[in-house]
C-alpha cells in the first residue's frame, strides 16, 4: 500500500474515525498517555480485526509490565498475529524498528518477564514459529507516516522476509485505518475499480456475459501475482496456508502438473468488463470469488520458484477459469451484491470458513434488515457502523420498551449490536451452550463446528426477539450486575452462563404454570417473553433471582471442588447439558422457583398471571 504525504481519503470518514477513537477513550475513561495507548489498541482489535470482547481481553493480557514490546497476541482468520499500537505522538520510526526486533526475538527466545500471561502468549508465538506457520506482525498508529518512513519500512519488511520466511510485517498509519474502515462497506478500493489486469488464455468460449477458458497454470500465476491481494478483496480474505487442500495443489503442480485440469474444480472471477484480443483477456477490476485457495497457491508456487525449478512448458498444468462480467447498469453496491451472491453459492472449501464469512451469510443480512426496523444496527462486520453517515448513525435509537436494559451503557453505539456477540448470546441462551459461547466462539461461524447446530432451518425461522433478548440480557448482566472483566468472583467468567441460567429459569416458570415440558426457551410462546421484557421491574427481579441461583450454584461443594482455581476451564469444559454440574444448576433453579412462591408471593402471582394469560390454544403455534 503506497503512502505519500498527500494521500487522498474520505475526509468525512476520516473525521468519523477520529471521533470514534476519541469516544471510545472517553467512554472507558482512558485519559493519560498509558490509558490512551491501551484504549487505542482495544479500538483497533474491535474495529479492524473484529475481535469479540472476550477475545480482546485475552489478546491484551500480554500488555503491561515486561510485555516485551507487544500489546496483543491473537489468532485472526487462522493465523497468529502480534500487534503493537502507538497513539498519535507516541509513534516514531524507532518504535517500529524496536517492535520488529521484539517480534523476531520472541519467535526464537523465551521472553524476559515474570508474568505468566506473557510467558503463555510468547510460548504460543514460539510454537507457531517452530511449526513454520505464518505469524503476522502489525504495527499500527493513528499518526500519519510520510513517504520516507513508508519506504524505509518496506525495505525492512523485505529483510525480515529473507531472514524469517514465515514472519510477515505490516505497518498501518491513520490513512490505512480510514481505508480499512471504508472497505467494510464492501466496495472495491477506488484505485482498483478501473484497474486492468491481463490474463493469457488458450481455448475458450463466451456465453451469458461469461468467458469460460482453459488457462495455463503459469499464466494464471502471472495474473494472480500482478493483481495481488486486491484480487481477493470480495472474497473472505481467509487464505489458510497449511491445509490439506493447499498441500495437495502444490503436490500436483510439482509431481503431476498434467493432471491439474482433472483434479481441480477451477476458479471463478467476476469483473466489470473483459476484452478478448489475440489469446489475451484484459479484465477490469477482477475479483476472485471462488477458488481463492487455488489461485493463491498457484501464485505462490510460481513466485517462489527459480526458472530451473519450474515445471517444463511441455508438462505445465491447465486450469479452468470462469470470468463473469457484471451488468453495465449496476452501481458499486449492486456489483457487490452480485459478487457476494456468487461467492456464497459457489464456495464450499475451507477458504470460506471463518469470521469474515459472516459478511456473506444471507441470514446475517436478513437479521440486519429486521433489527433495523426495531431500531438497532446489526453490525455484521465490526467497525462498519463508523462508515455510515452521521444522519444514518443517529437514526438508531433502540426500542423504548427495552432500552432500560442498556441504560447504564454510556457509549453512543449502545444500539449497535455486534453480530458475533449476538450469535454468542443466542448460543448460550437459546441452544443452551454457554461453554461454546464463552470458550469456543470460533466454532460459531459459517462452516465452524457448531454453526449448523446453532444456525439451521429451525433457528433461522425464530422470531427476532430470540436473537435480541439474550444479547440485551447479556449487556444488562455485564453493566448492572458486574458480570465482566474486573469482577473478583465467579462473575468474571460467567456472563454467558448467566443468560443460559436466566433462559432456563424462564422455561421452568412456563412449564410450572402451564404444565408443559419445554426444554428450551425458544419453545415458549414469544408473546410471554415480550410481556416479561417490557415489564422493567419484573424482569429486573428475575435477573436478581438468576444471580442468586448462580451464587448458590458456585457455593455447591461439588462445583467448588471441580472449578478450584480454574473457573474459566470449568465453564469452557464442564458447563454443558448432560453433566452432573448442569443437573445441579437445574436443581438450583427448581428450588429457587419454590422459594419465590413462598418468599415473594406478589412476584409469583404476577408471573403466573402473565404466563397463563398467553396459554395457547391447541391449534395455535406458540412462536407465531
Amino acid at each position: 500500500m503506497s503512502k505519500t504525504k498527500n494521500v487522498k481519503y474520505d475526509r468525512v470518514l476520516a473525521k468519523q474515525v477520529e471521533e470514534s477513537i476519541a469516544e471510545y477513550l472517553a467512554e472507558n475513561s482512558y485519559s493519560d498517555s498509558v490509558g490512551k495507548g491501551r484504549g487505542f489498541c482495544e479500538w483497533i482489535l474491535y474495529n479492524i480485526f473484529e475481535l469479540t470482547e472476550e477475545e480482546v481481553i485475552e489478546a491484551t493480557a500480554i500488555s503491561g509490565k515486561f510485555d516485551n514490546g507487544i500489546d496483543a497476541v491473537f489468532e485472526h482468520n487462522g493465523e497468529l498475529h502480534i500487534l503493537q499500537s502507538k497513539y498519535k505522538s507516541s509513534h516514531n520510526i524507532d518504535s517500529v524498528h524496536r517492535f520488529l526486533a521484539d517480534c523476531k526475538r520472541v519467535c526464537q527466545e523465551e521472553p524476559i518477564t515474570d508474568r505468566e500471561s506473557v510467558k503463555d502468549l510468547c510460548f504460543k508465538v514460539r510454537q507457531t514459529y517452530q511449526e513454520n506457520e505464518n505469524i503476522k506482525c502489525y504495527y499500527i498508529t493513528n499518526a500519519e507516516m510520510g513517504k520516507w518512513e513508508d519506504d524505509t519500512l518496506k525495505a525492512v519488511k523485505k529483510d525480515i522476509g529473507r531472514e524469517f520466511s514465515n514472519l510477515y510485517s505490516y505497518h498501518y498509519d491513520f490513512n490505512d485505518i480510514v481505508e480499512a474502515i471504508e472497505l467494510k462497506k464492501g466496495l472495491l478500493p477506488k484505485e482498483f475499480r478501473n484497474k486492468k489486469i491481463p490474463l493469457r488464455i488458450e481455448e475458450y468460449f463466451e456465453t451469458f456475459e461469461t468467458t469460460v477458458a482453459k488457462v495455463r497454470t503459469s499464466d494464471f500465476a502471472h495474473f494472480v501475482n500482478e493483481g495481488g491481494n486486491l484480487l481477493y478483496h470480495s472474497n473472505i480474505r481467509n487464505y489458510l496456508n497449511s491445509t490439506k487442500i493447499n498441500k495437495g495443489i502444490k503436490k500436483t503442480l510439482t509431481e503431476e502438473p498434467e493432471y491439474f485440469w482433472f483434479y481441480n474444480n477451477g476458479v471463478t472471477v467476476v469483473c466489470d468488463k473483459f476484452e478478448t484480443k489475440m489469446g489475451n483477456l484484459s479484465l477490469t477490476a477482477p475479483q476472485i470469488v471462488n477458488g481463492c485457495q487455488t489461485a493463491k497457491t498457484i501464485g505462490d508456487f510460481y513466485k517462489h520458484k527459480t526458472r530451473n525449478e519450474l515445471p517444463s512448458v511441455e508438462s505445465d498444468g491447465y486450469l479452468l477459469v470462469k470470468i463473469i462480467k457484471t451488468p453495465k447498469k449496476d452501481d458499486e453496491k449492486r456489483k457487490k451484491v452480485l459478487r457476494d451472491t456468487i461467492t456464497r453459492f459457489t464456495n464450499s472449501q475451507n477458504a470460506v470458513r471463518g469470521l469474515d464469512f459472516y459478511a456473506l451469510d444471507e441470514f446475517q443480512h436478513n437479521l440486519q434488515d429486521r433489527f433495523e426496523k426495531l431500531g438497532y444496527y446489526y453490525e455484521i462486520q465490526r467497525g462498519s457502523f463508523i462508515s455510515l453517515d452521521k444522519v444514518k448513525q443517529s437514526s438508531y435509537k433502540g426500542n423504548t420498551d427495552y432500552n432500560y436494559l442498556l441504560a447504564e451503557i454510556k457509549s453512543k453505539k449502545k444500539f449497535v449490536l455486534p453480530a458475533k456477540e449476538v450469535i454468542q448470546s443466542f448460543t448460550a441462551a437459546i441452544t443452551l451452550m454457554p461453554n461454546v459461547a464463552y470458550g469456543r466462539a470460533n466454532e460459531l461461524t459459517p462452516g465452524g463446528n457448531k454453526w449448523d447446530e446453532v444456525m439451521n432451518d429451525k433457528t433461522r425461522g425464530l422470531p427476532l426477539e430470540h436473537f435480541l433478548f439474550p444479547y440485551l440480557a447479556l449487556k444488562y448482566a455485564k453493566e448492572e450486575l458486574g458480570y465482566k472483566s474486573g469482577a473478583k468472583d465467579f462473575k468474571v467468567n460467567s456472563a454467558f452462563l448467566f443468560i443460559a441460567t436466566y433462559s432456563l429459569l424462564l422455561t421452568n416458570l412456563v412449564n410450572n404454570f402451564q404444565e408443559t415440558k419445554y426444554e428450551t426457551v425458544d419453545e415458549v410462546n414469544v408473546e410471554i417473553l415480550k410481556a416479561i421484557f417490557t415489564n422493567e421491574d419484573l424482569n429486573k427481579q428475575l435477573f436478581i433471582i438468576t444471580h442468586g441461583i448462580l451464587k448458590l450454584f458456585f457455593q455447591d461443594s461439588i462445583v467448588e471442588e471441580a472449578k478450584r482455581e480454574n473457573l474459566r476451564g470449568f465453564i469452557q469444559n464442564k458447563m454443558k447439558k448432560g453433566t452432573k454440574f448442569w443437573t445441579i444448576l437445574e436443581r438450583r433453579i427448581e428450588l429457587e422457583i419454590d422459594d419465590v412462591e413462598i418468599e415473594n408471593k406478589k412476584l409469583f402471582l404476577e408471573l403466573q398471571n402473565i404466563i397463563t394469560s398467553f396459554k395457547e390454544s391447541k391449534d395455535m403455534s406458540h412462536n407465531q
Side-chain angles (χ1 to χ4, degrees):
M1 185 183 303
S2 63
K3 299 185 183 71
T4 61
K5 290 187 176 180
N6 61 344
V7 172
K8 293 182 180 179
Y9 53 78
D10 188 326
R11 297 289 174 181
V12 174
L13 179 58
K15 184 177 180 181
Q16 290 175 198
V17 170
E18 287 181 327
E19 290 174 351
S20 177
I21 296 171
E23 287 169 4
Y24 183 84
L25 298 180
E27 290 160 3
N28 291 277
S29 301
Y30 290 134
S31 55
D32 60 15
S33 59
V34 174
K36 287 179 178 179
R38 181 176 182 83
F40 175 59
C41 177
E42 293 172 358
W43 186 94
I44 288 293
L45 293 173
Y46 280 126
N47 296 289
I48 303 300
F49 295 100
E50 302 181 39
L51 269 58
T52 63
E53 183 177 345
E54 288 74 25
E55 288 169 337
V56 169
I57 292 170
E58 186 174 340
T60 56
I62 193 171
S63 182
K65 185 179 179 182
F66 300 124
D67 58 17
N68 286 255
I70 296 171
D71 288 337
V73 176
F74 57 97
E75 286 191 13
H76 180 67
N77 284 343
E79 294 179 311
L80 193 68
H81 288 57
I82 302 175
L83 174 68
Q84 172 68 273
S85 61
K86 290 294 183 181
Y87 183 75
K88 290 190 175 179
S89 59
S90 62
H91 158 71
N92 57 60
I93 191 69
D94 290 337
S95 296
V96 191
H97 287 299
R98 284 195 300 272
F99 169 63
L100 294 177
D102 288 330
C103 287
K104 291 189 287 185
R105 177 174 51 78
V106 297
C107 281
Q108 296 179 312
E109 304 173 12
E110 291 189 24
I112 305 168
T113 186
D114 58 358
R115 292 172 54 211
E116 289 301 317
S117 58
V118 178
K119 291 178 181 178
D120 290 344
L121 287 172
C122 285
F123 171 76
K124 192 173 185 179
V125 172
R126 291 200 314 282
Q127 188 177 46
T128 303
Y129 177 74
Q130 290 167 8
E131 292 174 354
N132 204 34
E133 300 288 342
N134 286 351
I135 298 176
K136 294 187 174 180
C137 307
Y138 279 86
Y139 177 94
I140 302 182
T141 178
N142 56 338
E144 291 193 30
M145 294 185 185
K147 188 175 186 306
W148 174 80
E149 285 180 291
D150 187 62
D151 291 342
T152 300
L153 294 176
K154 283 180 179 177
V156 172
K157 179 178 180 179
K158 289 182 180 179
D159 291 339
I160 291 176
R162 285 191 288 267
E163 186 179 356
F164 295 79
S165 60
N166 59 328
L167 199 63
Y168 298 85
S169 67
Y170 303 86
H171 54 281
Y172 276 31
D173 72 350
F174 182 71
N175 305 312
D176 298 314
I177 293 173
V178 174
E179 182 178 352
I181 296 298
E182 183 177 32
L183 295 184
K184 291 179 185 292
K185 296 178 182 179
L187 306 181
L188 294 182
K190 293 174 183 177
E191 71 272 17
F192 196 65
R193 292 176 194 170
N194 296 311
K195 185 172 182 178
K196 294 183 179 181
I197 301 177
L199 172 62
R200 182 173 177 79
I201 60 177
E202 301 204 5
E203 299 174 43
Y204 71 96
F205 68 89
E206 294 186 12
T207 183
F208 299 118
E209 299 295 321
T210 301
T211 293
V212 180
K214 171 185 172 185
V215 180
R216 198 180 292 273
T217 51
S218 56
D219 290 331
F220 190 71
H222 180 77
F223 166 78
V224 167
N225 291 328
E226 184 166 337
N229 288 335
L230 284 172
L231 283 175
Y232 311 102
H233 175 73
S234 292
N235 209 315
I236 301 82
R237 292 164 287 146
N238 190 22
Y239 174 69
L240 305 177
N241 289 281
S242 297
T243 66
K244 292 180 180 178
I245 291 174
N246 298 330
K247 291 176 181 177
I249 292 171
K250 292 176 182 177
K251 183 177 180 180
T252 303
L253 288 170
T254 302
E255 300 176 5
E256 301 177 297
E258 67 274 16
Y259 285 97
F260 197 90
W261 174 269
F262 303 105
Y263 295 168
N264 191 271
N265 290 328
V267 172
T268 301
V269 181
V270 175
C271 62
D272 285 357
K273 60 182 178 180
F274 54 72
E275 300 170 351
T276 310
K277 187 176 181 181
M278 297 181 66
N280 282 285
L281 272 181
S282 176
L283 282 65
T284 302
Q287 291 289 286
I288 297 174
V289 296
N290 177 253
C292 170
Q293 290 190 89
T294 295
K296 190 73 164 59
T297 305
I298 290 174
D300 287 348
F301 177 82
Y302 282 90
K303 185 196 303 184
H304 297 129
K305 289 282 189 292
T306 66
R307 185 182 298 275
N308 292 334
E309 292 170 337
L310 289 173
S312 65
V313 174
E314 290 76 15
S315 63
D316 210 358
Y318 289 93
L319 176 73
L320 175 67
V321 181
K322 181 167 66 174
I323 303 107
I324 302 171
K325 181 165 51 176
T326 56
K328 290 182 180 179
K329 65 179 184 298
D330 284 0
D331 59 15
E332 288 300 317
K333 289 187 177 180
R334 286 299 307 162
K335 292 175 183 176
K336 176 190 179 320
V337 170
L338 177 63
R339 292 194 301 265
D340 286 356
T341 304
I342 294 172
T343 302
R344 189 170 64 247
F345 283 118
T346 59
N347 277 283
S348 61
Q349 298 183 50
N350 66 354
V352 303
R353 298 178 185 271
L355 297 175
D356 284 338
F357 200 55
Y358 268 93
L360 297 179
D361 186 66
E362 187 175 17
F363 181 61
Q364 296 300 306
H365 290 278
N366 174 266
L367 280 178
Q368 189 174 61
D369 293 339
R370 292 163 67 191
F371 271 120
E372 182 158 0
K373 293 175 183 176
L374 206 56
Y376 302 94
Y377 179 71
Y378 186 67
E379 195 174 39
I380 298 174
Q381 286 185 286
R382 193 149 190 168
S384 60
F385 181 78
I386 301 170
S387 69
L388 302 180
D389 64 65
K390 285 290 187 180
V391 174
K392 187 67 175 176
Q393 287 182 359
S394 62
S395 69
Y396 297 98
K397 302 182 185 298
N399 186 290
T400 54
D401 288 335
Y402 313 130
N403 283 350
Y404 71 91
L405 292 156
L406 302 173
E408 289 302 307
I409 299 177
K410 307 306 179 186
S411 172
K412 294 180 180 179
K413 293 176 62 180
K414 67 166 66 178
F415 305 121
V416 177
L417 280 52
K420 295 165 194 173
E421 292 182 23
V422 170
I423 299 302
Q424 281 179 287
S425 303
F426 176 89
T427 301
I430 305 301
T431 65
L432 295 179
M433 293 191 289
N435 59 317
V436 175
Y438 174 61
R440 287 146 49 195
N442 60 312
E443 297 182 15
L444 300 176
T445 58
N449 290 341
K450 292 293 183 181
W451 182 253
D452 290 338
E453 190 173 343
V454 174
M455 286 293 125
N456 47 52
D457 290 341
K458 177 190 174 184
T459 56
R460 288 170 188 260
L462 292 175
L464 186 64
E465 286 77 12
H466 288 303
F467 294 91
L468 175 63
F469 289 166
Y471 175 80
L472 295 179
L474 178 76
K475 301 306 286 186
Y476 186 87
K478 287 184 174 184
E479 297 302 323
E480 293 274 6
L481 303 180
Y483 280 76
K484 58 183 178 180
S485 175
K488 303 300 183 183
D489 55 11
F490 66 88
K491 292 183 291 186
V492 69
N493 297 118
S494 302
F496 289 111
L497 181 58
F498 176 94
I499 57 175
T501 304
Y502 172 77
S503 290
L504 279 172
L505 173 63
L506 292 180
T507 306
N508 280 325
L509 284 167
V510 173
N511 287 338
N512 186 67
F513 292 126
Q514 291 195 353
E515 297 181 354
T516 49
K517 294 183 178 179
Y518 299 138
E519 293 185 0
T520 54
V521 76
D522 58 301
E523 298 178 83
V524 173
N525 187 334
V526 73
E527 296 302 324
I528 294 175
L529 304 181
K530 289 181 182 178
I532 290 173
F533 267 79
T534 54
N535 190 326
E536 180 177 346
D537 290 338
L538 180 144
N539 204 18
K540 285 183 176 180
Q541 289 185 70
L542 289 176
F543 286 136
I544 295 298
I545 289 172
T546 302
H547 171 65
I549 290 170
L550 278 181
K551 188 174 181 179
L552 290 174
F553 169 75
F554 280 108
Q555 290 174 358
D556 184 281
S557 59
I558 296 175
V559 174
E560 181 70 28
E561 173 66 20
K563 73 177 181 65
R564 295 200 178 185
E565 301 301 320
N566 189 5
L567 175 61
R568 180 186 182 89
F570 173 77
I571 294 175
Q572 284 181 340
N573 302 315
K574 300 183 183 298
M575 281 315 298
K576 51 189 176 183
K577 289 183 288 184
T579 65
K580 61 182 178 182
F581 308 106
W582 195 265
T583 302
I584 293 171
L585 179 62
E586 290 179 317
R587 181 59 181 154
R588 280 256 46 100
I589 292 170
E590 292 171 3
L591 292 172
E592 188 62 34
I593 292 175
D594 292 340
D595 289 345
V596 170
E597 183 176 10
I598 297 171
E599 299 172 2
N600 195 337
K601 195 71 174 178
K602 181 180 178 182
L603 173 63
F604 187 83
L605 292 174
E606 188 174 6
L607 284 166
Q608 184 180 47
N609 180 57
I610 289 174
I611 292 170
T612 55
S613 67
F614 288 102
K615 194 165 187 177
E616 59 201 295
S617 61
K618 292 182 180 179
D619 60 344
M620 184 184 298
S621 173
H622 58 265
N623 266 330
Q624 296 299 317

